[in-house]
């Protein structure tokens, strides 16, 4: 009879013993990542027209698309208020736009429960462009050909950045649900 190699068996299964999910980390990671992403564009200020994408909004879309049902519908209000403090937009614009986005995405989720990456990217792209146009209107800018042309690079960069942010959100979700060692 062959003898079992106990060392390799303990290596395989020993890492799972005394490990549990951290409920604090499971709750904080999505909100903290959105809030940090809302603060990042403040570091890169441009002169006349915005160049940096609305990272907080894109991370919110990423969490909503990667993990539907994780964020409650009302989360657009507090996170939008936090984004309004850092974005320079009139207070209440992100509250309204983020809340409307969460409601529309919930309706789309009910209508089309099974989606793929390309549908999510298209939905996020449409939401980003509509968000940028609505944020431009909320700031009091009269839309002209010049303003739409100048905000084109921001919209294009935001759309191209979504898959990277969705991958980052998926990685953060793995971290959020990873197990931590319990010491007794």
């Amino acid at each position: 009879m062959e003898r079992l190699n106990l060392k390799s068996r303990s290596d395989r299964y020993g890492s799972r013993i005394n490990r549990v999910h951290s409920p604090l980390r499971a709750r904080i990671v999505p909100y903290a990542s959105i809030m940090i992403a809302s603060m990042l564009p403040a570091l890169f200020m441009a002169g006349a027209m915005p160049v940096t994408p609305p990272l907080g909004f894109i991370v919110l879309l990423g969490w909503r698309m990667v993990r539907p049902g994780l964020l409650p519908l009302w989360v657009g209000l507090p996170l939008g208020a936090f984004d309004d403090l850092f974005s320079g937009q009139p207070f209440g614009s992100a509250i309204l736009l983020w809340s409307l986005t969460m409601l529309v995405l919930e309706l789309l989720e009910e209508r089309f429960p099974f989606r793929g990456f390309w549908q999510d990217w298209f939905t996020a792209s449409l939401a980003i462009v509509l968000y940028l146009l609505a944020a431009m209107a909320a700031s009091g800018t009269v839309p002209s050909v010049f303003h739409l042309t100048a905000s084109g690079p921001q919209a294009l960069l935001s759309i191209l950045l979504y898959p990277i942010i969705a991958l980052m959100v998926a990685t953060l979700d793995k971290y959020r649900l990873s197990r931590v060692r319990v010491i007794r």
Side-chain angles (χ1 to χ4, degrees):
M1 274 195 141
E2 271 186 50
R3 196 167 183 198
L4 289 176
N5 188 353
L6 295 177
K7 182 166 175 53
S8 65
R9 185 175 183 183
S10 68
D11 288 343
R12 279 187 291 176
Y13 299 108
S15 63
R16 296 184 197 168
I17 297 174
N18 262 358
R19 304 218 179 237
V20 295
H21 297 290
S22 170
L24 182 67
R25 184 166 58 185
R27 288 189 181 110
I28 288 179
V29 167
Y31 301 107
S33 64
I34 293 170
M35 292 168 71
I36 289 170
S38 290
M39 290 187 288
L40 281 178
L43 298 175
F44 309 105
M45 288 297 197
M49 288 298 291
V51 178
T52 58
L55 291 177
F57 183 73
I58 299 172
V59 173
L60 175 79
L61 286 175
W63 277 107
R64 183 61 183 87
M65 299 285 188
V66 171
R67 291 293 294 208
L70 177 69
L71 298 174
L73 284 178
W74 53 264
V75 80
L77 186 122
L79 291 176
F82 186 83
D83 186 70
D84 278 337
L85 294 175
F86 288 96
S87 68
Q89 290 285 343
F91 192 76
S93 64
I95 294 172
L96 174 68
L97 296 175
W98 287 29
S99 297
L100 287 175
T101 301
M102 291 297 286
L103 290 172
V104 168
L105 290 177
E106 184 66 26
L107 289 174
L108 283 174
E109 181 69 27
E110 286 179 12
R111 179 88 170 135
F112 305 106
F114 302 106
R115 297 179 323 269
F117 172 73
W118 296 105
Q119 289 91 355
D120 282 349
W121 194 2
F122 176 75
T123 304
S125 301
L126 186 63
I128 289 167
V129 169
L130 291 175
Y131 174 78
L132 290 174
L133 291 173
M136 187 186 313
S139 69
T141 303
V142 178
S144 66
V145 175
F146 170 73
H147 287 107
L148 294 176
T149 305
S151 63
Q154 181 188 23
L156 184 64
L157 181 63
S158 300
I159 291 169
L160 293 177
L161 196 62
Y162 174 77
I164 297 168
I165 288 183
L167 180 64
M168 180 197 72
V169 165
T171 305
L172 283 173
D173 192 43
K174 276 187 193 176
Y175 169 73
R176 179 182 77 88
L177 295 175
S178 65
R179 296 174 181 246
V180 293
R181 185 176 177 143
V182 177
I183 301 174
R184 294 180 190 185

